[in-house]
Amino acid sequence: MAVETPRYATVLRDGDHELRDYPALVVAEVTVEGDQKTAANRGFRLLANYIFGGNRKRAEIAMTAPVAQQAVGEKIAMTAPVAQVPGAAGTWKVRFTMPSAWTLDTLPVPNDARVSLQRIEPARLAIRRFSGLARPDDVQAQSAALLAWVQARGLHPIGPVTLAQYNPPWTPWFLRRNEVMVDVAR
């Protein structure tokens, strides 16, 4: 089952870490509350409804990967990088990148006002790739490792860490592709 993923240029590859340049992207996103898993499920359902015809044109929009999730209002300190608190309830943004054939002008208006369409400006992202189920403890550890790598490279994060998951839920845990990513200053 091949799905479109955003294009990017690899600037640096270092083991499980990469520095990537992404072009501008168009996304559909929702803000939901709950712990990491609850928020991911709620957000996914709202966004899936939109792309499967829950819009004014009743148009179907192809699924893409990854599904991105980010804690809202989180601060990152360079000396104590903690991406999220495991098991804590909070507010999260869940995001689908729209297929490259669509623009903000051509995407249908969502039926659900909680779904917003946004343009994400071009960005340089530091990435750490990992496999598994992306449980909160795993995400926290991977985020800390990413931010330590960012700091060791002399890079400056500009925003919170985002979790990106690339596989459907039926993919065996050991084959899943996950990434934690953070925007860095150029």
Side-chain angles (χ1 to χ4, degrees):
M1 189 167 109
V3 296
E4 182 180 343
T5 59
R7 292 179 177 226
Y8 59 84
T10 302
V11 176
L12 172 69
R13 186 171 286 128
D14 179 17
D16 292 332
H17 297 93
E18 288 186 21
L19 197 56
R20 299 177 185 161
D21 285 341
Y22 282 86
L25 300 170
V26 175
V27 301
E29 78 179 19
V30 294
T31 301
V32 292
E33 293 187 1
D35 61 26
Q36 177 186 315
K37 184 176 181 178
T38 301
N41 288 334
R42 285 180 183 155
F44 185 92
R45 282 194 308 270
L46 289 166
L47 293 169
N49 182 56
Y50 168 68
I51 68 169
F52 295 139
N55 54 68
R56 290 199 186 148
K57 292 182 181 177
R58 295 187 179 162
E60 290 199 14
I61 300 165
M63 183 69 191
T64 62
V67 174
Q69 182 179 4
Q70 178 184 89
V72 175
E74 187 169 325
K75 304 290 184 213
I76 297 177
M78 284 302 292
T79 57
V82 177
Q84 49 196 19
V85 179
T91 304
W92 300 83
K93 284 185 183 179
V94 180
R95 177 181 292 160
F96 285 5
T97 301
M98 296 292 94
S100 58
W102 294 91
T103 68
L104 278 178
D105 293 330
T106 61
L107 278 167
V109 175
N111 290 341
D112 190 325
R114 294 173 291 182
V115 176
S116 69
L117 304 176
Q118 307 285 330
R119 174 184 155 89
I120 305 297
E121 295 302 319
R124 176 163 286 176
L125 298 174
I127 311 288
R128 180 172 172 85
R129 190 174 185 159
F130 65 102
S131 61
L133 295 175
R135 290 182 215 131
D137 288 345
D138 300 327
V139 173
Q140 182 179 9
Q142 296 295 334
S143 297
L146 170 65
L147 292 170
W149 181 82
V150 164
Q151 187 172 18
R153 287 279 180 178
L155 301 169
H156 302 283
I158 49 174
V161 173
T162 298
L163 169 64
Q165 296 178 282
Y166 286 81
N167 306 103
W170 56 83
T171 303
W173 68 270
F174 56 90
L175 295 176
R176 291 189 185 191
R177 174 183 172 195
N178 305 301
E179 295 175 343
V180 286
M181 51 184 62
V182 65
D183 285 28
V184 294
R186 288 184 187 253

